[in-house]
Amino acid sequence: MRDIRYPHAYIHAAATTRYGRHEGSSALDLMAQAANQALAQSGLQRSDIDGVLCGYATTFPHLMLADLLSEKLGLQPHYAHGMQMGGATGAAMVMLARTLLRAGTCRHILVVAGENRLTGQAVDTSIQTLAQVGEPDTEVPNGASVPAYYALLASAYMHQTGLDRETLAEFAVLMREHAAGHPHAHLRDPITVDQVLASKPIATPLNLLDCCPISDGAAALVISADEGPVQVVGDGQAHRHQHLSAMRDVLDTGAARACARALAEAKLESRHIDYLAIYDSFTITLVMLLEELGYAPRGGAGTRLRRGDFAASGALPLNTHGGLLSFGHSGVAGGLAHIVEAWTQLAGRAGERQIDPRRRALVHADGGVLSAHVSLVLEAEGTT
């Protein structure tokens, strides 16, 4: 029986492929590309990797994806695990990696996800596949899609808080501004609030530019017990419902509960966070999460945005790679890219995109219809 316990989990390396269109590349090809980049960056040998965590791919529904990827990469891990938690999968894999290290099960873990959702799957197939997060007897048969579920959330939330369409559009514009400088981002052309408001209606009140694009791409992390540039110091989950029809309160989806657990474990408060990596499948997702997590008052996220707080040069930079809304959404790898960017900025490795030094990041991801919530607290080396 193992008697070694590793008290800390450090992210040693983080990488993404370019997001967008990758003709002829399978999900496995994209995962391998990101994984190879992260492994090279980490300085570890393949024989050092004793854990592999792999997110699911709707375009490659293999029953043993972590094993398959390990074989492709020439790895022989002690522990291999495929995971499915919707958009929360990336953050949940980091949480599991930290648990495995602290238990002594592994010492060096590869976390990877990727999908060719843009070129490897018809749009209608993607819509139908994702719609299955709905309640099978009442929601799915009535033709609801994921944008429709979030549009219903948006309508209820806007009614209760006074949030308006213009504010949602401003967050789409901000994400595009952040993506403009990232060479791997799917969407980099600037947009305006007027363009967001005039874009094609998808599900009222959400228009096309309120929704993330469908992308090909992959992301990978190497998480280790050995000291590295960024440490995972807290994590937490919350699950209050699966289906939209079972949601009790749009003001209490579970996000704040997961965040409170992560901050408590890290022995920190919200004021100690100076970088935000927040899931943003739709503009309403981003605003609801920012406000439930306590980084803006209800109905007040727009005020903070217009003050410049969420800009790359602001007090609380938000999704400086452009988030799902502009960097791109390739399934699990979409959310995992938020963690890659947080690591890149905290580690001071963003090159020309580097913002002022940051000490601690809050990562928050959700899966389903604000159903599964995972929060992580990341801390830069040398932070006291």
Side-chain angles (χ1 to χ4, degrees):
M1 180 178 292
R2 295 174 180 271
D3 57 3
I4 299 174
R5 298 291 186 269
Y6 302 113
H8 304 299
Y10 296 91
I11 302 177
H12 275 229
T16 69
T17 66
R18 176 181 55 81
Y19 278 40
R21 182 176 292 274
H22 287 269
E23 295 285 357
S25 293
S26 70
L28 203 64
D29 292 335
L30 293 168
M31 289 183 197
Q33 184 181 335
N36 283 327
Q37 291 179 42
L39 288 169
Q41 186 185 91
S42 74
L44 295 170
Q45 300 299 312
R46 288 173 193 265
S47 58
D48 295 326
I49 301 298
D50 52 11
V52 173
L53 302 179
C54 185
Y56 71 94
T58 62
T59 60
F60 203 94
H62 194 277
L63 294 177
M64 300 173 65
L65 195 51
D67 291 78
L68 186 65
L69 180 64
S70 296
E71 181 179 85
K72 184 177 180 70
L73 294 171
L75 304 176
Q76 297 184 22
H78 303 161
Y79 185 99
H81 189 149
M83 183 178 287
Q84 291 181 261
M85 282 179 59
T89 305
M93 289 194 293
V94 173
M95 186 173 180
L96 175 57
R98 183 169 181 245
T99 299
L100 292 170
L101 294 173
R102 297 170 84 185
T105 304
C106 302
R107 183 170 179 175
H108 306 293
I109 301 172
L110 174 67
V111 174
V112 63
E115 193 161 354
N116 58 333
R117 192 173 285 184
L118 176 59
T119 61
Q121 192 173 68
V123 172
D124 286 348
T125 301
S126 291
I127 291 170
Q128 291 170 9
T129 298
L130 298 175
Q132 303 312 304
V133 299
E135 203 285 320
D137 295 324
T138 57
E139 294 175 0
V140 175
N142 283 299
S145 63
V146 171
Y149 299 137
Y150 276 87
L152 289 169
L153 276 178
S155 296
Y157 194 81
M158 293 167 78
H159 175 72
Q160 291 199 39
T161 66
L163 172 69
D164 56 40
R165 283 282 298 109
E166 288 74 14
T167 295
L168 292 179
E170 288 178 280
F171 277 93
V173 171
L174 178 67
M175 291 301 97
R176 189 63 63 88
E177 289 174 357
H178 287 174
H182 200 304
H184 285 178
H186 187 168
L187 302 176
R188 301 175 62 189
D189 293 337
I191 56 175
T192 65
V193 169
D194 287 343
Q195 286 176 312
V196 177
L197 295 175
S199 61
K200 178 182 177 180
I202 299 298
T204 305
L206 302 179
N207 288 356
L208 180 63
L209 294 178
D210 288 295
C211 309
C212 62
I214 298 172
S215 313
D216 299 336
L221 309 170
V222 174
I223 303 179
S224 173
D226 296 348
E227 189 170 346
V230 175
Q231 183 181 354
V232 185
V233 295
D235 52 45
Q237 293 193 24
H239 306 266
R240 286 177 53 74
H241 67 277
Q242 167 60 35
H243 303 117
L244 177 63
S245 54
M247 182 183 286
R248 299 175 181 85
D249 184 354
V250 294
L251 302 181
D252 181 16
T253 68
R257 297 166 187 250
C259 181
R261 289 167 185 147
L263 288 170
E265 186 183 20
K267 297 180 173 57
L268 297 171
E269 299 176 7
S270 294
R271 62 186 175 85
H272 295 125
I273 300 297
D274 55 10
Y275 181 92
L276 293 175
I278 308 298
Y279 203 80
D280 59 324
S281 49
F282 301 91
T283 50
I284 187 60
T285 317
L286 184 55
V287 173
M288 285 182 67
L289 289 175
L290 282 170
E291 295 183 358
E292 183 172 340
L293 293 169
Y295 289 99
R298 295 293 184 179
T303 299
R304 290 209 68 176
L305 180 148
R306 288 184 284 275
R307 199 165 62 203
D309 291 349
F310 299 135
S313 60
L316 204 54
L318 170 68
N319 298 350
T320 49
H321 64 315
L324 297 166
L325 285 166
S326 286
F327 188 83
H329 194 348
S330 54
V332 174
L336 196 57
H338 285 72
I339 304 172
V340 172
E341 177 68 6
W343 179 89
T344 302
Q345 295 292 350
L346 289 182
R349 303 189 187 185
E352 294 180 354
R353 299 189 308 104
Q354 184 64 50
I355 62 176
D356 290 341
R358 299 284 124 178
R359 298 174 301 162
R360 300 183 183 92
L362 175 71
V363 176
H364 187 86
D366 87 85
V369 190
L370 291 175
S371 309
H373 293 274
V374 183
S375 291
L376 306 171
V377 180
L378 309 184
E379 189 170 89
E381 182 183 22
T383 298
T384 57

